[in-house]
Amino acid sequence: MKRVFKMRFLTLIASSLLFTSSALALDAPKGPVILTVKGTLAHANVGGTAQFDLEMLEKLDGRTGKMKTPWTEGETSFSGPLLRAILKEAGATGSQLQVKALNDYFAEIPIEDAENLNTILATRQNGKVMSIREKGPLFLIYPFDQDPALYNEKYFSRSVWQIKEIEVKP
Amino acid sequence: MTPATPFGGEVIRRASRTTAALQIFGVILLGILVSIYIDISNRQGNLEDAVRENAMWSVYQLDREADELLHSLKEVIEGGLKEASNRERLSLRFDIVFSRMDVLRKSKFEQGFSADNEVKSRLEQVQDMIMHLDPVFSKLTQIDFATVDSVELLSRASALSEATGALLVYTNTLTSEERAQNRLEVEALQQKAFLIVGLLSLSVLLLIVGLRRQLRGVQAAGASLEAMAQELTVSYQAAEAGNRAKSQFMATMGHEIRTPLNAILGMVELLELNKLPEDALSRVRTIRRSGEALLDTINEILDYAKIEHGKLELEERPVDLVSLAENSAEMMRGRATEAGTRIAVDLPHRWHARHVLADPTRLRQVMLNLMSNAVKFTSEGTVTLRMRQQVRQSEVWLRVEVQDTGIGIGEEGRKKLFRPFSQVDASISRRYGGTGLGLTICKEIVDRFGGRIGVESSIGFGSTFWFEVPVKATEAPATEQDVETPKAFASIAPLRILLAEDNKINQQVILGYLSHLGQTATVAENGQVALEFASQQDFDLILMDMQMPIMDGIEATRCLRDPMSRNKNVPIVALTANASEEDRRRCINVGMTSFQAKPISLAALHALLKGITPLPTIQTESASNDPLLTDPINPPKHGLAAVADRRQEIEDILGADAFEELMAAFFDDAVDLLNSLNVSMQDGRKENFDTLLHNLKGAAANIGLEEIALRAQTLRKRELTLADIDELSQQIRAAQTALAA
């Protein structure tokens, strides 16, 4: 009898906590949505997905790295939120990320790439917001500057640009 | 071992040349291989293929997006352009096409094809088409769509799609061609690498073969070296054995030469004791000096042989350095005086140790040798014998210097000294003679003492030869020995002496000496005979030769010392020409009392006899009356019987001593007479013969030596020869010996 009561009480607290945290963690985007995170999310904000505008993304933990890439000329600086900060913000859990571009190109990325590497979703190239013509609005950038071993085709193919959506898979 | 294949050296050399060549070849091949590898890895490492793959992908993407744009445009046109969402959709599609275009234009991808002008022009064509479309699509969201010529737009989009499609096909063909080309190149490189690896393997194989050959050569060389070493050992042993045999031969020959020489010198010494005419005396002296010089030379050679043989041994006896120095100087004085040279002795006022333990014989030998050299090379000067002592690290060192005022030795000559058989120069050996061994022997002896020897000299100013040896201080002996006072011998009570000696001449010498000292002796020619005598009679002294036939001195002494022996306590003195330390030990071990090196000098014999006290005699009969005591080799029995008769006669008349005196006088006279005969013979004065022989005959008859008298009488009647005189003198000596016994 006592045990059943305790269970109920815990469920109540858990559900109230869930509600409070989702309300606290992720506001609805105010500007144009540039990224939608789908999948099992703890902090969804719009219809079970986590949607972000530029401002929301740029508020998250991020980094700026100066590096050479196969797609740019010379040293280029990329800045943007860390991929793991975005996933945390969305409360996403899973093992695989499907990163989808505007032209429906997609790449499968293991979650470790987000957790163990300082991978960012670059919002800016050389300090300027990237247009679609300039591979914007978001560009998945591996830290080629921090680990030269990443500079190969395996990671080039995972470096999706013109990103519109990340689906977190179990 | 033939010179053609010494240790298989040629094989080794050839093999190592091959190895070296192969090594160089191998290094070159390795270099080529490395360069090929670098080439291949460059081709693979610079992402060329990957870039081209990506370029292909980009072209494909561009074509796909262009198709997508055309498709969307068709849909939107069919559905009407007015819807804002449709317009945005078209704008997005165009942006994507534009960005794809941009990727191709800006990124490095196109570099994969930039060499190909066709690709470049086609790319530019596509770019132009997109740029023409840009103003329309950029304004699509703002402008009124009525102004847009949809047919025109559609045909341009369709043209774009065709152009990108053509570009895709073209680049794909190009990529395939280049890939094939690349594959061919890599294959060629791989073939080259394969060839090089093959060659490398071959050279490694050859290297192994070469090394094996080299190894086999080295092994063969090792084996032949070993064989050679064995051969060398055998040769060395043979040479060593030869050398030993030579040394042994020298020792034996030296002994053989020394024995008769000792007899000559002994006889000469005896001769000198007689009253001789002055001219004869000087000749006898010449004989003695020559004999002594010959003995010195032989002794030097023997010493050197001993040194080479490793048999030089030192003994330790108490030595009085003062008497050693003075005796040595005294011994040289005679020769020095002849050369008009003075000998000075310079001794320290205070000694650290005047009496030391050392080998006096060897010390004296070195000193005499140095002094003899000094005297030899000095005329009318001074030779100084100097002794000094020093204490170094609680050891007493004796320094002996022999300084002369002679001709001196130059730098070159000094280097040659102390080397065997070398003299300062050839003219020295011509002028001064000598074996050239003296200093070598001195050096060996001083080395054996653990000392040093050296010389300081300059030409015209004389030389100083010196040596230093460590000595051990000892107590002064209770009685001073070795005080030689030649020719003034105190008389000694008659002793019963047994002489065991096989050599006739030695017998005569010792008997002569003994008779000079007023002694007689029983003679035994070997140990066996000596034992027989000793079992029948008491003796006061036995002089025992070491080397005798049938039974040697050692064995005889052993038997004599038997507790049952009659003469078990009698002093036995060993006599030997081989005076080595080993002999000395053997003598003492079997119970000999002392030891005398042959030739024994008159003085030494006197000193020896002085130390013997005669035991009270039981037998009263005279030794000469005992038939057993007669010399078995010289048995003129009837002669001796006649003497005995005569003796009886004289003793009866004049007393016992009178006959002895008469007999002594006869033998003295006999020697004189024989000398005179010899001199006359030499001078050719035959007229003297008759008188001399007559005198001899009379004197012999006087004491009953009838045989000698008869012989002298016979000789008077015919031509006298030297052999006759010899025979006569031998007969006299035999009689003397017989009577002395």
Side-chain angles (χ1 to χ4, degrees):
Chain A
M1 188 57 198
K2 203 176 177 184
R3 200 172 158 188
V4 171
F5 173 75
K6 198 175 178 183
M7 285 277 282
R8 277 189 187 157
F9 178 71
L10 279 174
T11 315
L12 189 76
I13 289 182
S15 60
S16 74
L17 271 175
L18 192 70
F19 180 76
T20 324
S21 70
S22 83
L24 276 174
L26 209 54
D27 299 326
K30 287 164 194 150
V33 172
I34 55 170
L35 179 68
T36 307
V37 180
K38 290 181 180 169
T40 325
L41 304 177
H43 312 154
N45 57 358
V46 178
T49 65
Q51 296 194 344
F52 296 88
D53 59 13
L54 187 64
E55 197 190 342
M56 285 165 75
L57 287 174
E58 290 195 332
K59 261 194 258 174
L60 297 174
D61 273 353
R63 77 178 281 267
T64 303
K66 235 180 153 111
M67 63 195 85
K68 278 182 178 168
T69 70
W71 316 279
T72 50
E73 282 174 83
E75 288 254 310
T76 311
S77 141
F78 288 97
S79 52
L82 290 165
L83 184 55
R84 60 172 169 273
I86 297 166
L87 296 176
K88 194 184 160 202
E89 188 71 5
T93 49
S95 62
Q96 204 73 17
L97 304 175
Q98 196 179 63
V99 182
K100 218 178 261 180
L102 288 171
N103 66 344
D104 297 329
Y105 171 84
F106 66 87
E108 298 278 349
I109 296 170
I111 196 112
E112 287 79 21
D113 280 8
E115 283 164 2
N116 302 337
L117 300 171
N118 293 326
T119 313
I120 57 171
L121 278 189
T123 53
R124 290 169 189 270
Q125 182 179 336
N126 292 329
K128 280 190 282 182
V129 175
M130 293 178 281
S131 69
I132 291 170
R133 292 186 181 190
E134 296 158 340
K135 307 185 190 66
L138 294 170
F139 197 160
L140 186 67
I141 295 291
Y142 280 84
F144 299 119
D145 55 337
Q146 288 178 339
D147 185 359
L150 300 172
Y151 197 83
N152 62 45
E153 287 82 347
K154 178 178 164 190
Y155 291 98
F156 296 162
S157 69
R158 291 180 187 176
S159 301
V160 183
W161 66 74
Q162 293 171 340
I163 294 168
K164 64 171 182 191
E165 187 184 297
I166 296 174
E167 189 178 343
V168 183
K169 294 186 164 177
Chain B
M1 241 178 298
T2 58
T5 55
F7 318 126
E10 189 50 39
V11 176
I12 297 177
R13 262 194 298 281
R14 222 177 322 127
S16 40
R17 266 202 301 276
T18 316
T19 308
L22 283 171
Q23 278 171 344
I24 293 167
F25 187 53
V27 167
I28 292 169
L29 288 179
L30 208 63
I32 297 172
L33 193 65
V34 166
S35 72
I36 289 174
Y37 173 78
I38 291 170
D39 197 0
I40 290 174
S41 68
N42 274 348
R43 274 162 195 270
Q44 287 174 342
N46 64 8
L47 295 173
E48 199 180 322
D49 286 350
V51 166
R52 206 168 284 138
E53 292 292 314
N54 274 341
M56 269 309 298
W57 177 246
S58 299
V59 172
Y60 164 74
Q61 289 262 319
L62 176 64
D63 180 46
R64 180 175 170 274
E65 291 306 330
D67 278 355
E68 195 73 22
L69 178 66
L70 179 64
H71 183 69
S72 300
L73 194 61
K74 274 181 183 162
E75 273 183 11
V76 168
I77 288 170
E78 277 164 18
L81 279 169
K82 283 173 186 146
E83 291 258 354
S85 64
N86 279 342
R87 292 206 302 256
E88 270 172 30
R89 187 176 145 208
L90 277 182
S91 177
L92 175 65
R93 292 259 75 101
F94 185 76
D95 278 351
I96 290 171
V97 170
F98 193 92
S99 78
R100 286 284 153 199
M101 171 67 236
D102 206 40
V103 164
L104 270 181
R105 194 164 49 94
K106 274 188 189 164
S107 75
K108 296 181 194 165
F109 290 167
E110 68 187 80
Q111 283 172 10
F113 301 108
S114 57
D116 196 296
N117 283 328
E118 179 76 22
V119 174
K120 213 173 166 188
S121 68
R122 279 172 187 269
L123 207 56
E124 273 164 8
Q125 188 197 346
V126 171
Q127 267 174 30
D128 284 349
M129 291 168 118
I130 293 169
M131 285 311 184
H132 274 109
L133 284 170
D134 185 40
V136 181
F137 281 96
S138 304
K139 287 180 275 178
L140 206 58
T141 44
Q142 292 108 41
I143 58 165
D144 181 2
F145 241 81
T147 60
V148 177
D149 180 353
S150 58
V151 178
E152 164 74 9
L153 200 58
L154 203 60
S155 80
R156 273 162 68 180
S158 156
L160 174 65
S161 173
E162 271 170 38
T164 54
L167 179 62
L168 179 62
V169 171
Y170 186 79
T171 49
N172 188 41
T173 314
L174 208 62
T175 307
S176 300
E177 276 172 13
E178 283 203 5
R179 201 182 285 138
Q181 180 64 34
N182 253 1
R183 200 181 300 122
L184 278 178
E185 275 175 23
V186 169
E187 266 171 24
L189 275 176
Q190 277 171 342
Q191 269 173 5
K192 223 193 280 178
F194 187 74
L195 182 75
I196 301 287
V197 167
L199 284 173
L200 255 177
S201 310
L202 189 71
S203 67
V204 165
L205 206 72
L206 288 173
L207 259 178
I208 290 167
V209 170
L211 280 174
R212 268 188 68 91
R213 257 172 47 203
Q214 222 171 328
L215 195 69
R216 231 176 291 139
V218 168
Q219 274 170 347
S224 66
L225 269 178
E226 211 171 300
M228 194 181 170
Q230 259 163 7
E231 268 173 49
L232 276 175
T233 312
V234 170
S235 315
Y236 175 76
Q237 278 167 351
E240 186 62 15
N243 201 27
R244 257 202 303 278
K246 187 198 75 190
S247 297
Q248 189 60 49
F249 172 75
M250 274 172 82
T252 312
M253 281 315 291
H255 180 66
E256 291 299 315
I257 295 168
R258 223 158 34 154
T259 306
L261 189 58
N262 284 336
I264 293 170
L265 286 173
M267 279 301 173
V268 166
E269 202 178 340
L270 269 182
L271 217 52
E272 272 189 289
L273 292 172
N274 293 321
K275 294 173 216 92
L276 294 178
E278 192 47 47
D279 56 345
L281 197 63
S282 87
R283 284 178 193 136
V284 169
R285 277 204 205 99
T286 308
I287 295 173
R288 182 173 52 80
R289 269 201 301 278
S290 307
E292 278 166 359
L294 183 56
L295 189 64
D296 281 350
T297 305
I298 292 165
N299 281 343
E300 271 184 7
I301 294 172
L302 281 181
D303 272 342
Y304 184 70
K306 241 188 234 172
I307 287 165
E308 256 208 332
H309 207 53
K311 269 198 169 171
L312 182 76
E313 288 166 31
L314 297 180
E315 55 176 1
E316 270 194 356
R317 274 194 287 159
V319 185
D320 176 4
L321 293 175
V322 173
S323 59
L324 179 70
E326 275 165 2
N327 283 350
S328 307
E330 192 54 45
M331 286 171 85
M332 288 315 296
R333 208 151 266 157
R335 215 191 291 177
T337 313
E338 281 168 25
T341 298
R342 208 169 64 83
I343 297 230
V345 179
D346 174 6
L347 299 178
H349 297 297
R350 283 191 57 223
W351 293 89
H352 286 289
R354 176 178 158 176
H355 297 275
V356 295
L357 277 180
D359 188 327
T361 320
R362 295 299 177 188
L363 276 180
R364 184 184 292 124
Q365 187 182 355
V366 177
M367 281 158 61
L368 286 180
N369 203 306
L370 297 183
M371 280 202 283
S372 136
N373 278 345
V375 168
K376 204 192 270 185
F377 297 111
T378 308
S379 60
E380 293 174 6
T382 307
V383 171
T384 311
L385 173 66
R386 189 176 294 121
M387 274 192 185
R388 290 290 182 266
Q389 278 186 326
Q390 244 183 318
V391 178
R392 292 181 208 158
Q393 290 148 12
S394 73
E395 245 187 347
V396 180
W397 280 71
L398 174 67
R399 180 183 170 96
V400 178
E401 286 180 5
V402 176
Q403 187 178 16
D404 66 47
T405 55
I407 55 169
I409 311 158
E411 173 84 24
E412 279 302 302
R414 281 207 298 278
K415 284 183 192 161
K416 280 200 236 168
L417 293 169
F418 307 112
R419 247 188 261 158
F421 308 109
S422 78
Q423 289 182 326
V424 171
D425 62 46
S427 70
I428 293 285
S429 52
R430 275 200 303 278
R431 264 175 66 196
Y432 299 98
T435 54
L437 285 174
L439 284 176
T440 310
I441 293 165
C442 289
K443 183 172 165 17
E444 286 293 334
I445 292 171
V446 170
D447 282 351
R448 209 58 65 95
F449 270 111
R452 302 189 301 140
I453 190 166
V455 61
E456 280 130 34
S457 181
S458 57
I459 289 177
F461 292 97
S463 318
T464 301
F465 282 82
W466 54 265
F467 68 90
E468 296 174 335
V469 291
V471 287
K472 283 183 210 152
T474 185
E475 296 289 305
T479 52
E480 291 283 307
Q481 278 185 331
D482 250 19
V483 186
E484 289 180 26
T485 46
K487 299 184 182 177
F489 299 120
S491 65
I492 299 166
L495 297 166
R496 293 159 303 171
I497 301 170
L498 174 61
L499 171 65
E501 166 67 67
D502 63 318
N503 186 294
K504 291 287 154 318
I505 304 169
N506 282 343
Q507 282 173 14
Q508 287 172 27
V509 170
I510 293 168
L511 287 175
Y513 281 176
L514 285 173
S515 94
H516 187 77
L517 295 169
Q519 301 293 333
T520 57
T522 306
V523 178
E525 84 265 25
N526 63 49
Q528 188 75 51
V529 177
L531 280 182
E532 277 169 31
F533 286 146
S535 65
Q536 288 155 7
Q537 196 189 336
D538 289 320
F539 287 101
D540 297 319
L541 173 68
I542 298 175
L543 296 173
M544 183 73 78
D545 186 24
M546 296 270 287
Q547 289 147 319
M548 288 184 288
I550 304 173
M551 184 188 278
D552 67 8
I554 298 288
E555 189 53 38
T557 306
R558 211 192 311 280
C559 296
L560 281 169
R561 288 303 187 213
D562 188 275
M564 303 299 287
S565 167
R566 180 173 182 164
N567 281 291
K568 60 176 181 286
N569 292 321
V570 71
I572 301 174
V573 176
L575 299 174
T576 181
N578 277 358
S580 77
E581 193 60 23
E582 198 188 323
D583 287 339
R584 195 182 287 266
R585 264 197 301 279
R586 281 171 64 210
C587 290
I588 302 304
N589 284 348
V590 295
M592 286 187 176
T593 315
S594 67
F595 184 95
Q596 275 294 335
K598 279 198 288 189
I600 187 166
S601 71
L602 197 54
L605 191 60
H606 178 257
L608 178 71
L609 295 182
K610 227 169 56 173
I612 307 289
T613 35
L615 293 168
T617 173
I618 305 156
Q619 284 176 308
T620 48
E621 55 191 315
S622 166
S624 57
N625 281 348
D626 193 331
L628 280 167
L629 297 186
T630 51
D631 190 343
I633 305 296
N634 296 313
K637 287 211 167 160
H638 65 275
L640 278 183
V643 173
D645 290 344
R646 179 76 182 143
R647 166 179 228 155
Q648 197 63 49
E649 202 178 5
I650 292 169
E651 281 179 352
D652 284 348
I653 302 164
L654 300 166
D657 292 340
F659 179 75
E660 295 292 342
E661 279 173 23
L662 269 177
M663 195 167 66
F666 164 72
F667 285 117
D668 278 352
D669 287 346
V671 171
D672 281 350
L673 284 168
L674 286 169
N675 275 333
S676 301
L677 275 174
N678 271 322
V679 171
S680 300
M681 179 68 90
Q682 271 174 16
D683 297 348
R685 292 194 308 247
K686 291 181 180 173
E687 65 274 18
N688 292 344
F689 289 164
D690 194 62
T691 326
L692 289 166
L693 288 171
H694 181 258
N695 287 349
L696 187 64
K697 183 209 142 198
N702 195 27
I703 54 163
L705 288 168
E706 280 163 14
E707 274 189 346
I708 294 171
L710 193 66
R711 169 72 110 196
Q713 185 60 26
T714 316
L715 290 176
R716 282 176 75 187
K717 289 172 187 163
R718 61 175 169 97
E719 191 75 31
L720 195 68
T721 62
L722 263 178
D724 288 328
I725 299 172
D726 263 354
E727 218 173 315
L728 192 59
S729 75
Q730 268 175 29
Q731 205 172 0
I732 292 167
R733 218 174 286 127
Q736 194 177 16
T737 312
L739 285 171

